Amino acid sequence: MENKNKYLLYRAVRVIRGVMSSIYYSFFSISRTKTIIFNSACNEEFTWNAKSLFLNGMQRFHELGYKTYFVIDNDKERLKLKKLYGDYFITSKSKTDNKIILKSAVWVLSTLETPSSGVFLNRNRFVYHLGHGTPIKNIGLMERNVSTPKRIFYFLNKSNISVFLSTSSFFLEYMSKAFGVKKERIVIAPQPRIDDFISKRERGLIKKVTGYKYILYAPTWRHYSDTKLFPFPDFDLDSFSERLKANKIIILLRLHPRFENDSKPYLCDNIISFDSKKCPDVSDSLWEVDGLITDYSSIYCDYLILNKPVAFIPYDRDLYEKEIGFSTDYDAITTDMKLKTVDDFFNFISRFDSFDFEKYQSTLSGKINFCPDGVSATEYNVRFIDGEYKKRWLM
């Protein structure tokens, strides 16, 4: 108990210091360096859109005269990343590095957590929230039964983030409501991670057997119950596995990182784990799989861009709608490939070669994904950030 109290006191002191520092650098020390700070998931992870833009856009940013850093507070992970990519990784735990963070002109975030804590952080700074997925299920202030602390957090974030990315105009109004900001603070732009899976670059994450098709099965988590895998009334693991072998199918099973142990009873020769240890960022593997099956995960929105087969197993749709809800009508933003039985599953597989649902998927992808013509997602966002920098400091 004493150690816990010490930790809570330590965290409280850090937050207070962060607020004081943020106010000082927002209102008094307002000079800014031409530096871009990236971060993701509470400064603990090197993931999602911030990671993609950092890696793919680094050279372009340097050509434009920017310094770039990614904040990683985990010492071991930061050291590993420095060895891989160079001396571009800093920590908010260091006074020296935190000064670099607070004096920088631009911040780029994957999540709502900022590189350095505080308020008024978008004052004399451009803070760009990229997000980490398309809002298929309810997010932010649109979630069911939003708590008072969460409402306060989102209210304070209005003073921290300059603009929020929306993956298409279709979600613009929803994103405005979800973050509690005016539509003018929502920008329609491509997710930087698009470039990671349309590059067709083999990363060796999947050890493939020649002649086999690989299906990524990635259901999302539920706060109200465990996720049911292969929730077909006629499912039997042994017979199902035999049919997979006969059809030369390998299923890559990927659950939410917090619930990966739930998959063990289903693993066999043709159903293998594809957890976060084997593939930390699932975007890196999308191009390499032949098809995707999910339920309510926004991963399918990215996958549609590749024009490959997508199917859904929304076995508890009514309950999910009641407990969590969707940003819009579920049927309007998903394909008609809803799998209810084992035969439905193998019928979906049998259509891979003809792929007779490509046209509908392409239309759906255009509805929920903004992909600019003639320029990469990386270059689009580099130009946008550079433009915002020039508005504030060169005009």
Side-chain angles (χ1 to χ4, degrees):
M1 181 61 71
E2 184 179 351
N3 288 337
K4 183 178 180 181
N5 289 336
K6 285 182 178 179
Y7 174 75
L8 291 175
L9 178 62
Y10 167 75
R11 292 294 301 173
V13 170
R14 282 202 68 191
V15 170
I16 293 171
R17 284 178 177 172
V19 170
M20 293 175 64
S21 294
S22 67
I23 291 174
Y24 174 73
Y25 281 98
S26 295
F27 292 94
F28 301 100
S29 180
I30 59 174
S31 63
R32 295 288 179 260
T33 61
K34 195 174 182 181
T35 302
I36 306 176
I37 302 295
F38 296 79
N39 89 319
S40 181
C42 301
N43 294 343
E44 290 296 326
E45 298 179 6
F46 187 53
T47 53
W48 298 327
N49 279 312
K51 167 200 168 187
S52 298
L53 186 57
F54 174 79
L55 290 179
N56 299 330
M58 183 187 297
Q59 183 177 340
R60 281 288 291 124
F61 282 126
H62 292 174
E63 290 171 355
L64 292 168
Y66 295 94
K67 292 182 179 179
T68 57
Y69 297 100
F70 203 108
V71 182
I72 297 288
D73 283 346
N74 183 294
D75 296 337
K76 185 177 180 180
E77 180 70 8
R78 188 172 63 257
L79 182 61
K80 183 181 77 173
L81 291 168
K82 282 185 176 182
K83 289 180 179 179
L84 280 173
Y85 302 110
D87 197 18
Y88 302 109
F89 298 88
I90 59 178
T91 172
S92 67
K93 297 185 296 182
S94 159
K95 288 184 179 180
T96 301
D97 288 354
N98 206 42
K99 187 174 181 180
I100 293 173
I101 293 169
L102 288 166
K103 289 188 72 68
S104 62
V106 179
W107 290 359
V108 178
L109 329 174
S110 280
T111 60
L112 292 176
E113 296 82 18
T114 50
S116 184
S117 59
V119 290
F120 306 110
L121 296 168
N122 66 12
R123 183 178 174 84
N124 297 303
R125 180 182 294 110
F126 176 60
V127 184
Y128 187 18
H129 178 264
L130 298 173
H132 52 280
T134 307
I136 299 305
K137 51 183 176 284
N138 276 331
I139 62 171
L141 298 175
M142 297 299 286
E143 293 177 356
R144 308 290 194 218
N145 304 315
V146 180
S147 66
T148 299
K150 188 166 188 173
R151 290 187 183 279
I152 293 172
F153 174 72
Y154 274 73
F155 176 78
L156 292 176
N157 256 307
K158 291 181 183 181
S159 73
N160 286 341
I161 296 172
S162 306
V163 296
F164 300 80
L165 181 149
S166 175
T167 60
S168 75
S169 58
F170 180 79
F171 292 109
L172 191 152
E173 184 173 352
Y174 180 85
M175 294 289 283
S176 171
K177 293 177 180 178
F179 291 111
V181 297
K182 294 180 179 180
K183 292 180 183 178
E184 290 75 17
R185 289 176 65 178
I186 307 296
V187 58
I188 298 165
Q191 294 189 83
R193 69 184 187 190
I194 287 174
D195 290 340
D196 291 336
F197 53 82
I198 65 173
S199 64
K200 300 182 179 180
R201 178 162 60 92
E202 292 280 357
R203 291 177 169 82
L205 297 169
I206 304 171
K207 308 302 181 183
K208 289 191 174 182
V209 178
T210 303
Y212 275 74
K213 286 186 170 61
Y214 286 74
I215 312 301
L216 178 62
Y217 178 24
T220 193
W221 69 286
R222 293 119 167 100
H223 69 76
Y224 53 82
S225 69
D226 293 335
T227 299
K228 294 180 181 179
L229 299 177
F230 305 101
F232 307 129
D234 52 345
F235 180 80
D236 174 78
L237 182 59
D238 291 336
S239 60
F240 188 77
S241 180
E242 288 301 317
R243 290 184 70 174
L244 289 175
K245 290 178 182 178
N247 286 274
K248 293 188 175 182
I249 299 296
I250 299 290
I251 294 179
L252 303 173
L253 182 54
R254 185 182 181 88
L255 300 181
H256 191 281
R258 295 178 184 173
F259 309 103
E260 288 173 340
N261 289 336
D262 296 345
S263 66
K264 288 183 178 179
Y266 295 89
L267 302 181
C268 58
D269 290 344
N270 288 68
I271 303 175
I272 61 178
S273 173
F274 196 58
D275 60 22
S276 57
K277 291 181 181 178
K278 294 181 180 178
C279 179
D281 192 337
V282 73
S283 295
D284 292 338
S285 68
L286 291 184
W287 178 77
E288 298 183 61
V289 297
D290 301 290
L292 171 70
I293 298 174
T294 186
D295 42 26
Y296 319 115
S297 172
S298 64
I299 187 176
Y300 82 87
C301 300
D302 299 343
Y303 197 71
L304 285 172
I305 295 172
L306 297 176
N307 259 330
K308 293 185 177 184
V310 178
F312 300 85
I313 309 179
Y315 67 89
D316 59 347
R317 175 178 169 180
D318 291 342
L319 182 56
Y320 198 91
E321 173 74 58
K322 178 182 177 182
E323 293 289 335
I324 298 174
F326 301 102
S327 61
T328 189
D329 177 50
Y330 181 72
D331 288 325
I333 50 174
T334 56
T335 73
D336 59 355
M337 291 301 297
K338 309 295 195 303
L339 312 182
K340 298 180 180 180
T341 67
V342 169
D343 284 342
D344 286 345
F345 178 92
F346 285 99
N347 177 54
F348 170 61
I349 301 300
S350 70
R351 294 173 63 181
F352 274 32
D353 292 333
S354 61
F355 194 25
D356 54 353
F357 35 92
E358 180 177 1
K359 184 177 180 181
Y360 173 73
Q361 287 195 179
S362 179
T363 301
L364 179 60
S365 179
K367 179 179 182 179
I368 60 183
N369 292 305
F370 170 60
C371 296
D373 293 327
V375 65
S376 69
T378 298
E379 181 62 23
Y380 189 98
N381 281 286
V382 167
R383 293 178 185 180
F384 174 67
I385 290 170
D386 188 50
E388 292 298 318
Y389 173 85
K390 289 175 179 176
K391 285 180 188 177
R392 289 163 171 77
W393 290 282
L394 297 184
M395 294 182 179

